[in-house]
């Protein structure tokens, strides 16, 4: 069949996008300009869309930003190089991380050494030498891991830990010790927990027993510690933060590094409010995930934002403001951080840690009022 002679309106509409015709890169060209100008297709384009979404929409003052951290990010230095600057700039308001990320963050606060190594090294040789490997990151078993454990054990025996609490309070207290350790060692700001403590950014762990932090707290039970987790408090506190961010004139954004339990814990805040508490609120407004998982194998840990709409996790009216970039976090996070710090001034800190109890009380009041109205 011959092609149509005339060009349809559809033809012109589909070809009305930005022309792919970038000039050659220049020596010394700023990174943010390279991303804007050269990242034009495939996952480079998704990354450009993601960093622009983060910088130009998520960082508006009325938006509350939740961030999840999965994978071994802090051992690779991404905590001090990226997450700390984002916290201090007011670019993240609450965090859900794996316990392992927060445990390894302690090495930096305590000034214990991690080094770049070779992933091809024989692990039996490393074991005999007392060296632990996280892919191509190497650390001493005695001088880093066990030294951190001993220092952590002393901290967790202090009076403020002798009660039942949620993980935000646990990490806030730990953050104070991390900030003190930084100051005593004359370190720059290197610890995520210390930065979160100073900025009053609540930090949650969705699986608090699944890390060395959890194991140390479990061991403290054998020494008559009165510490206990209240994981349900975390569920309600994070939902309360989300609910407050959906009040008139406000919006909620999520930035998901990897998947797993932290991703779902951030996103479940919406269906907790709607499906469980019966409150009338739509899902998160802005969505950015960087992942290397595949959706067709069931491994994308909560799937795409389009699928999340069916769960009420993402507001369907804002699907154009949802980006999934299939990329290594260790590549994407430094690019997003550099771009955002270049293109946007610091935001005023929301300091949600200090108001989390009030936000939870507000959520409870809305829930109880909803039940009273339903009974009538």
């Amino acid at each position: 069949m011959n092609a149509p002679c005339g060009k349809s309106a559809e033809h012109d509409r589909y070809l009305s996008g930005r022309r792919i015709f970038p000039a050659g890169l220049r020596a010394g060209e700023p990174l943010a300009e390279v991303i804007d100008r050269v990242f034009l297709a495939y996952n480079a384009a998704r990354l450009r869309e993601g960093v622009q979404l983060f910088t130009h929409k998520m960082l508006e003052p009325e938006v509350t930003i939740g961030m999840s951290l999965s994978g071994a990010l802090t051992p690779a230095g991404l905590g001090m190089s990226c997450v700390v600057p984002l916290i201090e700039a007011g670019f993240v308001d609450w965090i859900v991380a794996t316990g392992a990320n927060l445990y390894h963050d302690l090495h930096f606060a305590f000034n214990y050494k991690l080094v770049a190594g070779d992933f091809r090294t024989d692990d039996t040789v490393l074991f005999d030498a007392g060296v632990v490997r996280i892919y191509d990151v190497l650390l001493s078993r005695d001088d880093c891991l066990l030294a951190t454990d001993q220092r952590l054990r002393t901290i967790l025996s202090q009076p403020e830990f002798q009660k039942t609490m949620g993980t935000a309070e646990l990490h806030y207290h730990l953050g104070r010790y991390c900030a003190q350790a930084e100051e005593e060692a004359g370190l720059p700001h290197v610890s995520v927990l210390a930065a979160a403590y100073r900025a009053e950014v609540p930090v949650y762990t969705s699986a608090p027993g699944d890390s060395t932090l959890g194991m140390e707290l479990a061991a403290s039970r054998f020494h008559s510690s009165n510490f206990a987790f209240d994981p349900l408090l975390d569920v309600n506190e994070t939902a309360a933060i989300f609910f407050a961010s959906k009040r008139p004139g406000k919006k909620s954004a999520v930035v998901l590094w990897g998947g797993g339990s932290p991703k779902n814990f951030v996103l479940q805040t919406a269906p907790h409010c709607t499906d469980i508490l019966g409150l009338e609120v739509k899902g998160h407004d802005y969505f950015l995930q960087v992942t290397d998982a595949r959706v067709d194998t069931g491994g994308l840990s909560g799937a795409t934002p389009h699928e999340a709409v069916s769960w009420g996790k993402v507001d369907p009216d804002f699907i154009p403001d949802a980006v999934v970039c299939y990329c290594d976090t260790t590549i994407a996070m430094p690019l997003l951080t550099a771009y955002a710090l270049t293109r946007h001034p610091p935001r005023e800190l929301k300091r949600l840690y200090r108001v989390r109890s009030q936000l939870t009380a507000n959520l409870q009041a809305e829930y109880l009022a909803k039940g009273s109205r339903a009974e009538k």
Side-chain angles (χ1 to χ4, degrees), residues 51-217:
V51 301
Q52 290 174 344
L53 171 65
F54 179 77
T55 304
H56 302 312
K57 292 189 176 181
M58 293 188 184
L59 293 183
E60 288 300 298
E62 73 276 7
V63 182
T64 298
I65 301 172
M67 182 174 288
S68 71
L69 303 173
S70 300
L73 305 183
T74 55
L78 291 170
M80 63 180 294
S81 66
C82 299
V83 181
V84 169
L86 289 172
I87 290 173
E88 294 182 336
F91 290 179
V92 54
D93 301 308
W94 61 285
I95 292 171
V96 179
T98 59
N101 267 311
L102 302 177
Y103 168 72
H104 290 300
D105 178 68
L106 298 175
H107 308 324
F108 294 88
F110 299 157
N111 204 21
Y112 297 145
K113 184 171 66 174
L114 293 85
V115 301
D118 189 337
F119 68 91
R120 293 160 294 195
T121 305
D122 187 331
D123 287 282
T124 58
V125 173
L126 291 178
F127 178 80
D128 292 339
V131 175
V132 175
R133 180 173 72 90
I134 307 172
Y135 188 57
D136 57 357
V137 176
L138 303 180
L139 54 155
S140 168
R141 180 177 183 272
D142 292 333
D143 298 334
C144 184
L145 285 182
L146 296 185
T148 299
D149 294 351
Q150 180 58 51
R151 194 157 176 176
L152 177 60
R153 203 168 298 131
T154 301
I155 291 171
L156 294 176
S157 69
Q158 299 306 305
E160 60 266 41
F161 296 97
Q162 306 310 307
K163 64 175 186 176
T164 299
M165 65 181 73
T167 60
E169 185 175 0
L170 168 69
H171 297 140
Y172 182 78
H173 292 317
L174 284 176
R176 180 168 63 85
Y177 285 95
C178 290
Q180 290 175 352
E182 285 181 343
E183 294 169 7
E184 290 168 0
L187 295 172
H189 293 175
V190 300
S191 163
V192 172
L193 285 172
Y197 165 77
R198 286 187 290 262
E200 296 181 273
V201 169
V203 179
Y204 298 91
T205 295
S206 49
D210 186 19
S211 71
T212 301
L213 281 170
M215 291 189 287
E216 285 292 349
L217 287 164

Side-chain angles (χ1 to χ4, degrees), residues 11 23 43-44 50 88 92 102 115 129 131 166-167 175-176 223 225 261 268 277 284 322 333 335 363:
H11 170 278
N43 276 307
E88 294 182 336
V92 54
L102 302 177
V115 301
V131 175
T167 60
R176 180 168 63 85
H223 297 280
S225 170
S261 182
Q268 76 172 19
L277 302 181
H284 295 279
M333 185 183 281
L335 294 175
L363 178 64

Side-chain angles (χ1 to χ4, degrees), residues 58 60-67 87 90-96 167-169 172 195-204 233-234 236-247 250-254 266 269 284 347-362:
M58 293 188 184
E60 288 300 298
E62 73 276 7
V63 182
T64 298
I65 301 172
M67 182 174 288
I87 290 173
F91 290 179
V92 54
D93 301 308
W94 61 285
I95 292 171
V96 179
T167 60
E169 185 175 0
Y172 182 78
Y197 165 77
R198 286 187 290 262
E200 296 181 273
V201 169
V203 179
Y204 298 91
L233 180 61
D234 291 354
N236 285 331
E237 280 187 6
T238 54
I241 291 172
F242 161 74
F243 188 70
S245 73
K246 294 293 290 185
R247 298 296 81 194
K250 298 181 181 297
K251 292 181 180 178
S252 177
V254 295
V266 169
T269 52
H284 295 279
R347 298 197 312 169
E348 182 179 354
L349 298 175
K350 288 187 168 56
R351 299 192 178 276
L352 295 177
Y353 180 83
R354 67 172 65 172
V355 298
R356 74 196 195 288
S357 296
Q358 183 59 55
L359 296 180
T360 304
N362 294 345

